[in-house]
Amino acid sequence: MKSYKGIGILVFAGIQLLFLGCSNDDNNPIEIAEAKLPDYTVIGENFQGVFQFNYDGLNNEIEEINLTEDNNVLREYLTLRQVSETLTFFIFSAGKFSAVQRNYKTGETNFINEFYTNTNERSIIWGATSESKIFMANYSPRGSTNLGLRVIDLLSGEEDDLMVEFDVESVYQPLYAGGKLLLGYLDSRSNYKLAILDSNSNTLVKTFDFGQFAPSIFITEDNNIGIISANNNSEYDFAIYDIDNLESLREESFILNRYFSPGAIQTQAQFLNEKLYYLNFYAQPSIVNFGPAFYDFNIQENRIIDMLSIAEEINNELGLSIELSAFDYDKESNTFLIGYRTFESPDILRGGVLIISTEGDLLEHDRLDFAPDYFVR
């Protein structure tokens, strides 16, 4: 186990001097409040393996775990899904799909070996998980664009095949929460849809039709379904649905000249206390591809953090060009977490984490021996 800690930058606030007289008894000392740094866990990789990095912001303690050595998580893993404290790494090798499940807090690991064999019957699009099932979206039969879903029960070993929609144009990344699998896609008439699967009964319980407006989906702080859909270039509809009965809890429109990806954006957006904290894409060419931003629904105001200036500062500090690779917002410390990678040579891939306040100040720069890909929530 090897750890490397970068330079911490302290931000001071609340300095106040009161001059009430000439005596020493009347002189109040300077009060200094230190910015709160977040606890975070991030997953990433270098050219040697996959790693987990744990940072304790209060005690300034760090831990780096080599998941390739400890849990046999290969660099070539297909995708990473999270359900509660369980991380699932999907792996494809020799025509078979396997998975490594790891509790990121306890380290408990479960290996699901060769749970699906690739065949000519269907073409796999992605994999997702619930607490006890694996979902494999697919085109069936192979060569078609008929969207299906293979459901594998890890406890009983039973398998179910469901047809979602015939002849679709695109399929987007899924999202699982509260016993529901949320599956977005574009149908043959170029209408955006969101299918909801009840994971307990393996049945499709509802399909939302958004027409020409692409939905971006995430789970809110109250564990309900948040949906942002663009109804023209800069006007969005924002809706929240109860995750249990799928009834509407909130519907409103807002103006924001920004872009959200279709499908799941759980790693790109959070809605807390009437603020939408989100990943803001930059027009290219630019030295950064994204940066942090937030929209305040109370005052209908959008705040974009100057990521260009922060990236230039880090580039000058390192003597290298950084490439941003991961994003998150931490509600406990009210800070943004930005991961980056650096290619220091053809065989050396490293990175780091930038902790940025909602005022746009760089609070901390943690250098890592690998490049971050995913902040665990």
Side-chain angles (χ1 to χ4, degrees), residues 49-343:
V50 180
F51 299 84
Q52 174 178 320
F53 181 84
N54 303 321
Y55 176 68
D56 183 333
L58 177 62
N59 300 309
N60 195 31
E61 295 178 350
I62 62 175
E63 179 185 25
E64 183 176 295
I65 304 167
N66 189 323
L67 301 183
T68 300
E69 292 181 356
D70 293 0
N71 302 118
N72 200 31
V73 178
L74 304 179
R75 288 188 61 251
E76 297 77 17
Y77 75 86
L78 298 176
T79 192
L80 167 61
R81 306 291 187 196
Q82 179 181 357
V83 175
S84 187
E85 297 178 359
T86 300
L87 305 178
T88 301
F89 298 85
F90 283 86
I91 298 168
F92 181 75
S93 178
K96 300 178 184 297
F97 287 90
S98 300
V100 178
Q101 291 190 317
R102 172 186 169 85
N103 185 303
Y104 78 92
K105 289 186 176 181
T106 67
E108 181 181 355
T109 303
N110 178 37
F111 298 95
I112 309 172
N113 295 318
E114 300 181 353
F115 64 84
Y116 179 81
T117 300
N118 208 28
T119 70
N120 291 328
E121 295 180 14
R122 57 185 63 86
S123 176
I124 300 299
I125 306 169
W126 48 247
T129 61
S130 68
E131 292 82 0
S132 61
K133 295 181 179 181
I134 290 179
F135 310 99
M136 303 291 283
N138 59 80
Y139 290 134
S140 179
R142 178 186 290 272
S144 75
T145 58
N146 300 328
L147 176 58
L149 198 63
R150 165 67 64 94
V151 183
I152 303 170
D153 190 312
L154 296 177
L155 300 178
S156 67
E158 294 181 357
E159 299 179 351
D160 284 337
D161 284 306
L162 308 174
M163 180 55 61
V164 179
E165 178 113 8
F166 292 97
D167 194 23
V168 303
E169 292 185 12
S170 298
V171 179
Y172 305 110
Q173 287 299 311
L175 184 59
Y176 173 84
K180 302 291 193 303
L181 180 71
L182 315 179
L183 167 58
Y185 60 93
L186 189 67
D187 73 8
S188 61
R189 297 182 179 180
S190 298
N191 292 318
Y192 290 94
K193 292 183 177 179
L194 178 63
I196 312 292
L197 175 82
D198 185 304
S199 65
N200 295 316
S201 61
N202 290 350
T203 57
L204 294 171
V205 293
K206 189 177 182 66
T207 299
F208 292 92
D209 190 338
F210 294 90
Q212 304 301 305
F213 309 137
S216 305
I217 57 176
F218 60 96
I219 301 302
T220 68
E221 183 182 19
D222 298 327
N223 292 319
N224 290 309
I225 304 170
I227 302 177
I228 299 172
S229 55
N231 54 40
N232 60 37
N233 290 333
S234 60
E235 185 173 351
Y236 286 86
D237 292 330
F238 177 43
I240 296 178
Y241 292 89
D242 188 291
I243 199 166
D244 295 320
N245 57 34
L246 303 178
E247 293 183 357
S248 176
L249 301 176
R250 173 175 181 161
E251 293 184 12
E252 65 180 280
S253 297
F254 67 103
I255 303 296
L256 188 64
N257 189 22
R258 297 294 151 185
Y259 170 76
F260 295 98
S261 305
I265 58 169
Q266 192 66 20
T267 60
Q268 301 178 17
Q270 289 191 57
F271 180 69
L272 301 163
N273 301 321
E274 293 301 310
K275 291 186 178 70
L276 178 68
Y277 300 90
Y278 68 94
L279 181 151
N280 173 50
F281 290 102
Y282 277 71
Q284 298 300 307
S286 172
I287 65 169
V288 296
N289 50 337
F290 64 82
F294 63 93
Y295 179 85
D296 190 325
F297 281 86
N298 285 326
I299 59 177
Q300 299 180 352
E301 181 177 280
N302 190 48
R303 173 73 184 273
I304 298 174
I305 304 303
D306 185 4
M307 195 65 220
L308 285 170
S309 296
I310 295 175
E312 288 175 349
E313 177 183 339
I314 301 302
N315 288 347
N316 293 333
E317 176 187 331
L318 299 178
L320 298 165
S321 294
I322 65 172
E323 179 181 320
L324 304 187
S325 57
F327 169 89
D328 197 15
Y329 168 78
D330 180 73
K331 66 178 181 179
E332 301 299 333
S333 61
N334 192 31
T335 58
F336 291 103
L337 303 172
I338 303 294
Y340 71 84
R341 61 172 65 100
T342 57
F343 295 93

Side-chain angles (χ1 to χ4, degrees), residues 14-25:
I15 300 177
Q16 185 178 41
L17 299 178
L18 299 176
F19 299 93
L20 300 178
C22 296
S23 70
N24 290 336
D25 291 339

